[in-house]
Amino acid sequence: MKFFVDTAEIEDIKELAATGLLDGVTTNPSLIAKSGRDFMEVTKEICGIVDGPVSAEVVALDHESMMKEAEILRKIADNVCIKVPLTVDGLKTCKALTEDGTMVNVTLCFSANQALLAAKAGATFISPFVGRHDDNGFDGMDLIEDIRLIYDNYGFETEILVASVRHVTHVLESAKIGADVMTAPPKVIHGLFKHVLTDKGIEGFLADWEKTGQSIT
């Protein structure tokens, strides 16, 4: 499963990229606003840090304006992935862009029916929001299972990008189901490294090593 980080904070992206485990980045208007920086500037900088897809979202709602914005965004770098909402105009834009060879991430997916439409429109990625699904009384993992089944039934190449990831269990369950990608805040990704027994084990090894009085260097 590919790991994307969901942030526009440059230092967080650099730190995770340095591990060699980061495959891409997702952003949205809210994350860019939170960073307090210029949209185009921060997107370009992110594209220079990671080799994988960097999702940059349009803010227009009609097809014609989305296409104009997409034309500007995809000139930022070769690894820009245009992010569009799951609406009629968003899917029209997705179809047009993918036919032109541009990566497209269809976002704000909350049903398997929507995911089916995005795949038929040629989306590179579909972003179902599992955390927000959970917030509204549904099981976000059920949604991922349904999309996986439908995509496998028909051989769709659209990658399932699990979004709105709130905790490490979302990551685990997504991997067990067979999601292609997950995107999570830096805090959640760092949480994947953590286990109390790992920490205790390191503590014990270091204590025993100190008793030997030896040094590797």
Side-chain angles (χ1 to χ4, degrees):
M1 184 167 66
K2 298 173 188 174
F3 279 22
F4 290 4
V5 63
D6 193 36
T7 186
E9 298 296 333
I10 297 299
E11 291 308 312
D12 287 334
I13 295 169
K14 285 182 177 179
E15 182 180 5
L16 287 168
T19 68
L21 301 174
L22 190 63
D23 301 295
V25 177
T26 55
T27 68
N28 58 48
S30 297
L31 291 173
I32 296 289
K34 185 178 178 181
S35 76
R37 297 184 57 196
D38 177 77
F39 177 79
M40 300 293 287
E41 179 184 279
V42 72
T43 303
K44 183 176 182 178
E45 188 169 354
I46 293 170
C47 288
I49 298 170
V50 298
D51 295 325
V54 175
S55 290
E57 189 166 347
V58 299
V59 294
L61 296 179
D62 64 282
H63 171 60
E64 184 177 346
S65 298
M66 285 184 190
M67 290 297 294
K68 290 178 180 177
E69 291 180 359
E71 184 62 29
I72 295 170
L73 293 174
R74 63 182 176 176
K75 289 179 180 178
I76 294 174
D78 291 339
N79 56 331
V80 164
C81 177
I82 304 301
K83 200 172 184 182
V84 300
L86 212 159
T87 61
V88 172
D89 283 85
L91 293 185
K92 285 173 64 178
T93 302
C94 173
K95 183 73 172 175
L97 291 173
T98 53
E99 287 180 348
D100 196 29
T102 300
M103 292 186 292
V104 179
N105 178 358
V106 178
T107 190
L108 292 171
C109 172
F110 292 96
S111 78
N113 283 335
Q114 289 179 319
L116 174 59
L117 293 174
K120 287 180 66 65
T124 312
F125 303 102
I126 180 67
S127 290
F129 278 39
V130 295
R132 293 194 195 180
H133 213 58
D134 291 349
D135 292 344
N136 285 276
F138 303 97
D139 188 335
M141 291 300 109
D142 286 345
L143 174 58
I144 304 304
E145 286 184 345
D146 287 345
I147 297 172
R148 180 77 279 161
L149 176 61
I150 291 170
Y151 282 12
D152 289 347
N153 280 349
Y154 297 101
F156 287 123
E157 296 182 1
T158 298
E159 296 188 26
I160 302 172
L161 194 167
V162 182
S164 188
V165 170
R166 300 283 174 75
H167 44 70
V168 295
T169 303
H170 274 154
V171 180
L172 173 62
E173 293 302 318
S174 297
K176 288 164 66 177
I177 293 167
D180 303 287
V181 191
M182 77 88 198
T183 187
K187 182 178 179 180
V188 172
I189 296 178
H190 285 296
L192 296 170
F193 291 91
K194 298 294 184 180
H195 195 287
V196 63
L197 295 181
T198 301
D199 296 339
K200 289 182 68 174
I202 292 173
E203 182 181 336
F205 290 156
L206 291 178
D208 291 339
W209 178 252
E210 187 175 352
K211 293 175 185 176
T212 71
Q214 300 180 56
S215 174
I216 294 175
T217 56

